[in-house]
Amino acid sequence: MLLTHLANHSNLFERLAETVARLLRAPIAMVLLETGGEAVVLGSVGAQLSGWTLRNLDLQAMALGLKRIRIGRENRNLPIVQSLRSVVPTARELVILPVWPSRELCNAAIVVVDPKMSWPLTSELSSTLEQLGALLHHLIQLLHAPQTPASRFSISEGAAGFVAEGEQVSRDAEFAPEPTQQFLLTTLRKRLSMHSRGGITYFTSRTWRVPIKDQQIAALRALKTHLPPDFVAKVSEELGETIRRVHGTSHIDTVVGVACGHSLPDRCFSAKLAQMVAARLGCSYVDAFQATKREGTSHPRKNTGLGAMRLKSDIDVGERVVLVDDVATTGTHLERASKALSARAKHVMPIAWIGN
């Protein structure tokens, strides 16, 4: 029953396999799940293996952590090598990341065939792979969890493929799967950076990780559709620390979010982020810009036609203003918003969570 249910979401596991293959520069990768003495390929890239069954894999006997197996005379008769070579007979080297969702439930693994990445892996790359293993752990638990009409959801492509879509869920319910948040918070690089554009200087606290940037963008877009409060709180905590680090503890009058564009005001990440940052800094939040709903996409690479940012006529932002955005791809949003705010405030301090 569990295998059948997971097999219905093979596109998610294929995306995960694709991500790992890209990271290790490998021609073939697969996601396996073992239960009842058999392992099923839930998703693969580089070879049409989804749905194949492997016997005698015995993932439970493997310790956690990355394993490298160079196939030669001394180990070609190992059960795990024979089992994997039954589906990839030309394999010369394997990298295996065992995952234990639950010893009572099943075992899983991400398997990479003939990676071109040199060994040993860098600590950064090893950490990224471990986090993707954790993502698989949480995804299997999520799909296996009992579901009631009030909490039912389906899984579709999004963060490294993972998005929950509510069915019969109350409007205020939080149904974002934890793995989506965890994927972003653990794979985005923590790097304080300073940028300049159009005469303004702004700071960012994180940046994309190039090999999995597309999956990170998909994850952020997925979270923006329902913005879990705990996720916004975590990001606001990071930005609050960055603001104190960059601008010190000098007096700040207000915090303002950039104008909402593709998102409605009640789902605008920059606005919700600015509100929580203001609370953390102990100052006022001001909804300063006129909302202008734009057609199109908020995808960082495709966000065009920004239009003018206009302040509301009756607002008072004070003299020292922190301007907050979630993503600064080119800095255009922050530049236009900063210049608009400069007509009312003496000092504008722009900052975004993610930058290039």
Side-chain angles (χ1 to χ4, degrees):
M1 182 68 179
L2 171 62
L3 288 175
T4 302
H5 184 50
L6 294 178
N8 290 334
H9 302 291
S10 61
N11 62 311
L12 308 184
F13 301 107
E14 287 169 3
R15 278 298 290 276
L16 182 56
E18 180 184 2
T19 299
V20 176
R22 189 181 306 162
L23 284 170
L24 293 181
R25 295 163 49 205
I28 298 173
M30 66 191 85
V31 176
L32 304 174
L33 184 136
E34 183 183 55
T35 184
E38 295 184 341
V40 174
V41 181
L42 296 179
S44 65
V45 64
Q48 296 295 326
L49 301 175
S50 295
W52 283 47
T53 299
L54 293 80
R55 291 179 171 82
N56 303 318
L57 207 57
D58 198 13
L59 292 175
Q60 193 172 28
M62 299 186 72
L64 291 178
L66 282 169
K67 306 288 183 299
R68 181 196 189 199
I69 301 177
R70 301 188 72 173
I71 300 172
R73 290 183 179 180
E74 69 281 1
N75 60 19
R76 64 187 177 188
N77 292 323
L78 288 175
I80 190 167
V81 171
Q82 289 186 329
S83 183
L84 288 169
R85 291 195 81 180
S86 69
V87 293
V88 189
T90 59
R92 299 183 303 275
E93 182 176 330
L94 303 170
V95 172
I96 304 173
L97 176 59
V99 178
W100 294 341
S102 165
R103 283 192 174 275
E104 292 74 32
L105 173 61
C106 58
N107 302 296
I110 302 170
V111 177
V112 180
V113 179
D114 295 338
K116 294 181 175 62
M117 189 65 68
S118 60
W119 197 275
L121 303 178
T122 65
S123 58
E124 182 178 23
L125 182 53
S126 295
S127 176
T128 299
L129 292 172
E130 295 285 355
Q131 293 299 334
L132 289 171
L135 191 65
L136 175 59
H137 166 102
H138 289 293
L139 179 62
I140 292 173
Q141 287 192 326
L142 183 69
L143 289 169
H144 185 257
Q147 298 172 31
T148 65
S151 63
R152 189 177 299 130
F153 58 86
S154 63
I155 301 292
S156 63
E157 189 170 333
F162 314 131
V163 178
E165 297 177 349
E167 309 171 355
Q168 305 180 28
V169 186
S170 69
R171 185 168 297 178
D172 295 328
E174 291 179 40
F175 51 86
E178 190 274 339
T180 308
Q181 301 176 51
Q182 184 186 35
F183 174 73
L184 264 185
L185 293 171
T186 56
T187 62
L188 286 168
R189 294 178 184 270
K190 287 187 177 182
R191 185 172 68 186
L192 177 60
S193 305
M194 183 174 70
H195 313 261
S196 295
R197 179 186 172 90
I200 68 112
T201 298
Y202 65 93
F203 292 86
T204 56
S205 64
R206 293 213 188 201
T207 188
W208 309 106
R209 194 178 296 272
V210 175
I212 55 172
K213 181 176 178 179
D214 288 344
Q215 286 76 20
Q216 290 174 326
I217 290 173
L220 183 60
R221 292 182 69 194
L223 286 171
K224 280 185 172 183
T225 63
H226 37 69
L227 284 177
D230 57 337
F231 174 69
V232 182
K234 176 63 178 175
V235 177
S236 70
E237 180 182 2
E238 286 187 17
L239 280 186
E241 292 173 357
T242 302
I243 291 165
R244 292 186 184 97
R245 180 178 174 184
V246 172
H247 299 292
T249 56
S250 58
H251 177 69
I252 296 171
D253 293 308
T254 58
V255 176
V256 172
V258 297
C260 298
H262 299 286
S263 302
L264 296 171
D266 63 339
R267 294 195 322 198
C268 180
F269 191 17
S270 60
K272 289 184 176 293
L273 197 51
Q275 291 173 39
M276 286 200 177
V277 168
R280 290 186 180 280
L281 296 178
C283 57
S284 301
Y285 164 75
V286 176
D287 182 12
F289 290 97
Q290 299 178 21
T292 304
K293 184 72 172 69
R294 294 194 304 273
E295 300 299 324
T297 175
S298 62
H299 191 294
R301 294 178 187 156
K302 303 175 184 177
N303 195 348
T304 59
L306 297 174
M309 291 199 185
R310 298 182 176 86
L311 291 172
K312 295 178 179 179
S313 59
D314 58 346
I315 57 99
D316 179 10
V317 295
E319 293 187 353
R320 295 176 59 82
V321 182
V322 170
L323 175 65
V324 172
D325 201 356
D326 55 335
V327 178
T329 304
T330 64
T332 302
H333 263 123
L334 289 173
E335 177 195 357
R336 295 185 182 182
S338 294
K339 289 179 177 178
L341 282 170
S342 294
R344 306 277 183 95
K346 288 184 178 180
H347 190 41
V348 179
M349 297 164 275
I351 190 167
W353 184 40
I354 306 171
N356 278 337

